[in-house]
């Protein structure tokens, strides 16, 4: 199986790749992404930015295959039939546990709670349905041919979006989607009521920037899996999508196409030094834009304008990410030799990064062959940490070029002990400690080194790395990771996260029976069994893009 797995031939309309052609061919000819010789944005003519805005659907409806038994609508690649699938004994247990986490509203299943941990004294908000946590549950249900719960969830959260949202006296944007919600059952009056949290109750009052993106991504997964276009095309879903996008596409003071965020705005939902332009949000933003593009109707001026804005943003965003967030051996060497204090368009070191700020660990960590999107880029600041979710979503959304996707997988293989160790997968690498930990986390006792968000290992990430492996044609890596998970997860009671440099210890404050650990395992297993499922959660490469066979010359050093 190769990177073409699950790709469909669509010829009916142009794609963003037509616009991207200029950039992409430059990048592909010079795979080292040597930013020295790239022209800066302002040098580029407007016409370059606006070619082919007509209809930039990257993904058309015409290839949905309705009712394919919950399958993703692709022909199952021949290779998957070779992997005859013996259900692992853990699978039955996982399904049973997943079903125990179901939440009902007026008799209908509407989501799964974050953890069904009866031993934990502190419930906090783990009894809520988190939007991000529900994604792997939703995928598991879709892959199993049970789409109703996903539809109910999408509609329920859409309804919550319509609420007036306030933190103290401050009103939040209309499009904001909740981080989580809860169903209150009143057994006496026999009523169900919903309560939602948009950040106004969350620890630290963090903003769930990722929720809206996941909602759009899930809407596409549902549509793709079921072939039911009516939900995505309904006026309420069209409006919901536009409201989410309005929050991110507005023009302002920004000088970058990336999305500026406060700390703790995503899966890492507490202070961890990810404020600015965190990779997780940028990758989800890119993916949500592409998913929205495939679902938005253009039957009125508003729809057309929205699509036009999306296309322009995608163009700028991919350029920015592929150039400035990308790090490989060559790029690291270039930054190491940067001059500083350069003014004007000719600047090579555009963000004025001081080479002395490059942390020592990254020189050893960087393999000769391989690369990744770094954690954050802003004036004089590059966060060189590796983050799993952002890099996997970059592969799935094709934010990374095919070469970059291969390089990300090469890095995971080359740094297996560091990134996977004994439990897939580290949320971030490396951990921050001592003085830096005090400053960056505000002395957070939950985020001590190699724990939780600070270099902890999260089983939920297994589904993402498995999907990335399948997309890049490396199912054997996924198999290795799944085997590691199978040796511990059930025995340990499906923990939320593991601690330690190798991920050997059940996390200090980890919940047991954490739903997304369970669902993530199931999704990983089902995708490996039938790789055609990948289509629900993956977007193909730009079709216009020239096939890349050449490898980065830095890999041959
Ligand atoms: C923690 C995680 C967050 C998750 C929540 C519920 O707060 O950091 O990503 O959504 O738990 O599981």
């Amino acid at each position: 199986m190769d990177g073409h797995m699950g790709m469909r031939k669509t010829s009916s309309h142009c794609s963003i790749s037509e616009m991207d052609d200029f950039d992409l061919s430059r990048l592909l000819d010079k795979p080292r992404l040597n930013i020295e010789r790239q022209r800066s944005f302002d040098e580029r003519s407007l016409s370059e930015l606006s070619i082919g805005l007509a209809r930039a659907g990257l993904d058309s409806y015409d290839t949905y295959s309705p009712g394919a038994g919950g399958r993703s609508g692709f022909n199952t690649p021949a290779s998957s039939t070779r992997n005859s699938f013996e259900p692992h004994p853990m699978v039955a247990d996982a399904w049973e546990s997943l079903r125990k986490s179901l939440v009902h509203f007026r008799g209908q299943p509407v989501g799964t709670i974050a953890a069904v941990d009866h031993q934990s004294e502190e419930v906090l908000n783990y009894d809520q349905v988190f939007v991000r946590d529900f994604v792997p549950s939703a995928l598991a249900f879709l892959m199993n041919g049970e789409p109703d719960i996903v539809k109910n969830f999408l509609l329920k959260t859409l309804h919550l979006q319509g609420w007036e949202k306030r933190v103290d006296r401050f009103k939040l944007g209309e499009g904001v989607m909740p981080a989580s919600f809860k169903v209150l059952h009143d057994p006496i009056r026999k009523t169900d009521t919903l309560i939602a949290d948009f950040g106004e109750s969350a620890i630290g009052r963090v903003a769930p920037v990722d929720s809206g993106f996941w909602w759009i991504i899930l809407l596409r997964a549902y549509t793709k899996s079921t072939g039911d276009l009516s939900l995505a095309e309904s006026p309420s879903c069209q409006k919901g999508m536009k409201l989410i996008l309005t929050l991110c596409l507005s023009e302002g003071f920004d000088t970058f196409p990336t999305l500026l965020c406060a700390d703790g705005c995503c899966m890492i939902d507490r202070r961890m030094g990810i404020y600015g332009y965190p990779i997780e949000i940028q990758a989800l933003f890119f993916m949500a834009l592409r998913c929205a593009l495939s679902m938005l109707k253009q039957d009125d001026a508003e729809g057309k304008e929205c699509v036009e804005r999306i296309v322009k943003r995608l163009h700028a965003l991919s350029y920015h990410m592929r150039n400035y967030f990308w790090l490989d051996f060559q790029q690291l060497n270039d930054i190491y030799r940067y001059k500083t204090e350069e003014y004007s368009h000719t600047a090579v070191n555009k963000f004025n990064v001081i080479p002395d700020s490059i942390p020592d660990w990254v020189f050893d960590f960087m393999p000769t062959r391989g690369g990744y999107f770094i954690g954050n880029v802003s004036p004089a600041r590059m966060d060189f940490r590796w983050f799993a979710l952002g890099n996997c979503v970059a592969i799935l959304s094709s934010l990374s070029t095919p070469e970059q996707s291969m390089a990300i997988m090469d890095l995971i293989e080359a740094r297996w002990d560091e990134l996977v160790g004994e439990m897939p997968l580290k949320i971030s690498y490396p951990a921050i400690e001592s003085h830096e930990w005090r400053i960056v986390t505000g002395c957070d006792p939950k985020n001590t080194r190699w724990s939780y968000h600070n270099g902890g290992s999260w089983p939920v990430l297994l589904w993402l790395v498995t999907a990335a492996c399948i997309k890049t044609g490396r199912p054997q890596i996924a198999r290795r990771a799944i085997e590691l998970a199978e040796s511990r997860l059930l025995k340990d009671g499906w923990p939320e996260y593991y601690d330690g440099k190798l991920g050997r210890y059940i996390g200090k404050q980890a919940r047991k029976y954490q739903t997304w650990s369970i669902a993530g395992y199931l999704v990983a297993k089902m995708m490996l069994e039938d790789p055609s499922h990948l289509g629900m959660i993956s977007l193909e490469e730009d079709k216009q893009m020239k096939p890349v066979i050449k490898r980065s010359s830095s890999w041959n050093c």
Side-chain angles (χ1 to χ4, degrees), residues 114-115 125-126 128 130-133 179 210 266-270 427 446 452-453 458 496 514 516:
N125 49 0
Y126 283 88
Q128 306 223 358
F130 278 75
V131 170
R132 71 176 74 86
D133 292 45
D210 60 338
C266 49
M267 177 183 179
I268 296 179
D269 56 357
R270 48 207 290 142
I427 191 169
K446 209 167 170 181
Y452 201 45
H453 301 143
W458 290 66
E496 179 186 15
Q514 181 78 19
W516 67 359

Side-chain angles (χ1 to χ4, degrees), residues 105 110-111 129-132 134 149-163 165 174-182 194-198 211-212 214-216 218-219 231 236-237 240 244:
F105 181 77
V110 288
V129 180
F130 278 75
V131 170
R132 71 176 74 86
F134 182 66
I149 178 175
V150 181
K151 183 175 182 177
N152 295 340
F153 169 88
L154 288 164
L155 288 169
K156 214 30 84 203
T157 40
L158 186 62
H159 173 74
L160 295 174
Q161 187 195 38
W163 285 12
K165 303 159 275 250
E174 224 189 318
V176 175
M177 280 283 184
S180 60
F181 67 86
K182 187 175 173 166
L194 283 172
I195 51 165
D197 178 14
F198 296 88
S211 284
W214 280 124
W215 187 87
I216 293 175
L218 197 54
L219 180 63
L231 184 66
S236 56
C237 281
I244 295 168

Side-chain angles (χ1 to χ4, degrees), residues 388-408:
L389 199 153
N391 276 282
C392 289
V393 171
I395 293 177
L396 295 179
S397 62
S398 295
L399 168 60
S400 43
T401 64
E403 281 203 324
Q404 287 172 334
S405 298
M406 289 301 178
I408 294 170

